[in-house]
Amino acid sequence: MPKDSADGRKYRPQTNLVRGGLDRSHFDELSEAMYLSSSYAYESAEQAQRAFKGEEDHYLYSRYGNPTVTLFEERLGQMEGARICQSTASGMGAMFGSLACMLKAGDRLVASKALFGSCDYVCTVLLPRYGVETVTVASSDLDEWERALSEPTNAVFLESPSNPMTQVLDIPGIADLAHKAGARLIVDNVFATPVFQKPLEFGADIVMYSTTKHIDGQGRTLGGAILTNDEDYYEDYLRMYIRHTGPTLSPFNAWVLTKSLETLDMRVRQQAANATRIADWLLDQKRITKVIFPGHDSHPQADLIRKQMSGPGTMVVFELDGDQARTFKFMNALQVIDISNNLGDAKSMVTHPTTTTHQRMSEEERATLGIHENMVRLSVGLEDPLDLIEDIEQALSA
Ligand SMILES: *Cc1c(COP(=O)(O)O)cnc(C)c1O
């Protein structure tokens, strides 16, 4: 039951992250209470009738809404500058729901090719099975997007920066083209985080998150969120889709995520500072043949990054001087940094996309995206960056 979060504009963002949506019970608890309740009791049969008719504000059932879940949605909505925030049980619940709630057989979807593996599956395998035509665009060149959007389209889905290559797409440019084609633009903002990029301010209609990543940031819960100021999208599609198909966030996870929001801004900024330090150091290492980091002038879309992002993010991609065996040897020699496919966590993690997150793709598709066997993706956490640098250094000479 998302409420209007517009009053978040009264305070500065960090205050909203600590206090947004707070609604104390009659116990006056200082910290946010957790309401682990699937259902709600009514004073009378008449009250139940009024609640179901929408004449009285009363929770009905936690698939529709729950006070702890509402609290999380209000706080995240204020952070994003979105009046509507609908949480979900995972990032993929948000991604699939954001499209499935509105698309039907015969509709057309344009999606970026550089997507998180499961998002690519939804766009190119699952939705076409339901009769949705999907066209993908691999390039960040706006002319290619213009060509793909030269016919009537219902939805555009993109990720910027992308996983794993941090490809950056022109959000205002693509939003214009999408609107001319009659489509809503949905942006997967997981890599940028709400700290460094606000797609709604650049013309996107809908933003989605896997809250599993930086928003939890400590590897505990799965969750997701869909945020928008488009009342028609919410009222005509999303509200009923969530109510009746049930990808609902649990109140326990909502509580953990609410507490995580209190520290989101400072965690992400510190992780980005650590990532910058490591990315700069990697540039001077002779065993590293390529570094891709949104904070570097050498990033292929450095100009776009300056226009639409206020920070570089927490992910560094680099290539080693060798093949897959050499890359595995490096990863296995790391002593602080974990091998894992999660990201955005306080603990630094390294991933080999070719054999894990992107193994479903053909070698040819991976080559188009620039994903090579000697490439690793590093998610930089909150450890001392000098320990991380020393760990990488010793693993490189292993
Ligand atoms: C992790 C991730 C998702 C999916 O989120 P889950 O919470 O794992 O379901 C979607 N998009 C991106 C960019 C991600 O990193």
Side-chain angles (χ1 to χ4, degrees):
M1 196 189 286
K3 282 192 196 155
D4 194 316
S5 302
D7 69 336
R9 279 168 218 149
K10 268 200 315 213
Y11 300 107
R12 291 167 184 83
Q14 182 55 37
T15 305
N16 293 330
L17 284 173
V18 176
R19 293 182 173 269
L22 190 58
D23 183 11
R24 292 191 170 121
S25 79
H26 64 285
F27 293 120
D28 291 332
E29 66 283 350
L30 184 80
S31 177
E32 295 75 0
M34 176 166 31
Y35 295 93
L36 271 184
S37 185
S38 59
S39 333
Y40 306 87
Y42 306 95
E43 260 162 27
S44 64
E46 288 78 8
Q47 189 193 31
Q49 184 184 32
R50 287 195 302 277
F52 269 79
K53 271 190 166 167
E55 293 168 0
E56 186 175 324
D57 206 10
H58 193 290
Y59 285 99
L60 304 175
Y61 189 51
S62 286
R63 174 150 44 77
Y64 299 5
N66 168 285
T68 313
V69 174
T70 302
L71 168 63
F72 170 62
E73 291 171 338
E74 284 198 34
R75 200 169 282 190
L76 183 60
Q78 289 177 0
M79 174 68 183
E80 193 67 41
R83 287 191 298 280
I84 296 160
C85 174
Q86 174 65 59
S87 61
T88 54
S90 69
M92 287 319 300
M95 187 274 167
F96 180 65
S98 70
L99 291 167
C101 73
M102 67 168 161
L103 293 178
K104 60 183 187 312
D107 281 354
R108 187 169 187 272
L109 166 69
V110 171
S112 53
K113 186 66 205 157
L115 289 182
F116 180 75
S118 300
C119 299
D120 180 68
Y121 173 84
V122 167
C123 291
T124 63
V125 179
L126 191 61
L127 288 171
R129 208 183 274 166
Y130 296 160
V132 173
E133 182 202 354
T134 300
V135 174
T136 60
V137 183
S139 168
S140 61
D141 183 350
L142 208 55
D143 291 342
E144 302 262 336
W145 286 87
E146 188 161 13
R147 243 188 308 282
L149 286 164
S150 60
E151 21 179 321
T153 303
N154 304 85
V156 177
F157 186 88
L158 64 85
E159 194 180 309
S160 180
S162 71
N163 178 31
M165 299 307 290
T166 70
Q167 181 194 55
V168 173
L169 299 172
D170 182 340
I171 297 175
I174 295 172
D176 265 356
L177 294 169
H179 295 152
K180 281 186 196 128
R184 286 183 167 94
L185 171 62
I186 304 170
V187 175
D188 181 337
N189 206 36
V190 167
F191 264 47
T193 81
V195 175
F196 290 139
Q197 181 168 273
K198 297 276 200 300
L200 298 178
E201 290 175 9
F202 289 104
D205 302 282
I206 297 142
V207 174
M208 62 131 290
Y209 289 104
S210 162
T211 65
T212 315
K213 311 296 165 56
H214 303 81
I215 292 175
D216 179 299
Q218 290 151 87
R220 300 157 300 184
T221 62
L222 281 169
I226 303 167
L227 296 112
T228 184
N229 286 315
D230 183 341
E231 316 273 347
D232 292 341
Y233 172 76
Y234 180 67
E235 287 302 331
D236 296 348
Y237 303 114
L238 187 61
R239 195 159 89 97
M240 288 300 150
Y241 169 86
I242 296 286
R243 279 190 170 210
H244 300 303
T245 66
T248 320
L249 182 66
S250 87
F252 179 79
N253 286 1
W255 183 84
V256 172
L257 291 165
T258 300
K259 300 305 282 180
S260 296
L261 285 178
E262 296 181 350
T263 56
L264 174 70
D265 189 90
M266 60 177 74
R267 280 187 286 108
V268 168
R269 286 184 199 282
Q270 185 61 48
Q271 284 173 252
N274 294 353
T276 302
R277 201 140 161 206
I278 293 168
D280 289 351
W281 177 83
L282 286 169
L283 284 177
D284 297 330
Q285 305 312 307
K286 58 178 189 305
R287 292 189 175 95
I288 304 292
T289 53
K290 190 175 191 179
V291 181
I292 306 174
F293 179 59
H296 284 166
D297 288 340
S298 56
H299 189 284
Q301 290 92 37
D303 288 342
L304 267 181
I305 291 168
R306 273 188 285 273
K307 277 189 225 153
Q308 64 190 36
M309 291 180 71
S310 61
T314 65
M315 308 294 291
V316 184
V317 174
F318 56 94
E319 287 181 3
L320 287 90
D321 58 344
D323 56 4
Q324 181 173 308
R326 195 274 184 260
T327 308
F328 274 21
K329 202 165 170 195
F330 161 75
M331 291 172 70
N332 293 339
L334 290 165
Q335 287 167 6
V336 179
I337 300 170
D338 287 305
I339 300 172
S340 176
N341 44 289
N342 194 15
L343 63 96
D345 200 88
K347 293 185 172 59
S348 296
M349 289 175 263
V350 72
T351 308
H352 187 245
T354 303
T355 52
T356 60
T357 54
H358 290 69
Q359 53 86 21
R360 208 183 56 81
M361 280 190 173
S362 67
E363 188 138 3
E364 204 185 351
E365 285 177 297
R366 278 197 297 269
T368 321
L369 297 177
I371 303 172
H372 303 128
E373 62 168 1
N374 62 335
M375 193 205 92
V376 296
R377 182 192 84 184
L378 178 67
S379 170
V380 181
L382 287 172
E383 302 92 340
D384 190 311
L386 286 176
D387 283 327
L388 299 175
I389 286 172
E390 283 168 20
D391 194 29
I392 296 169
E393 192 165 34
Q394 66 77 27
L396 281 173
S397 44

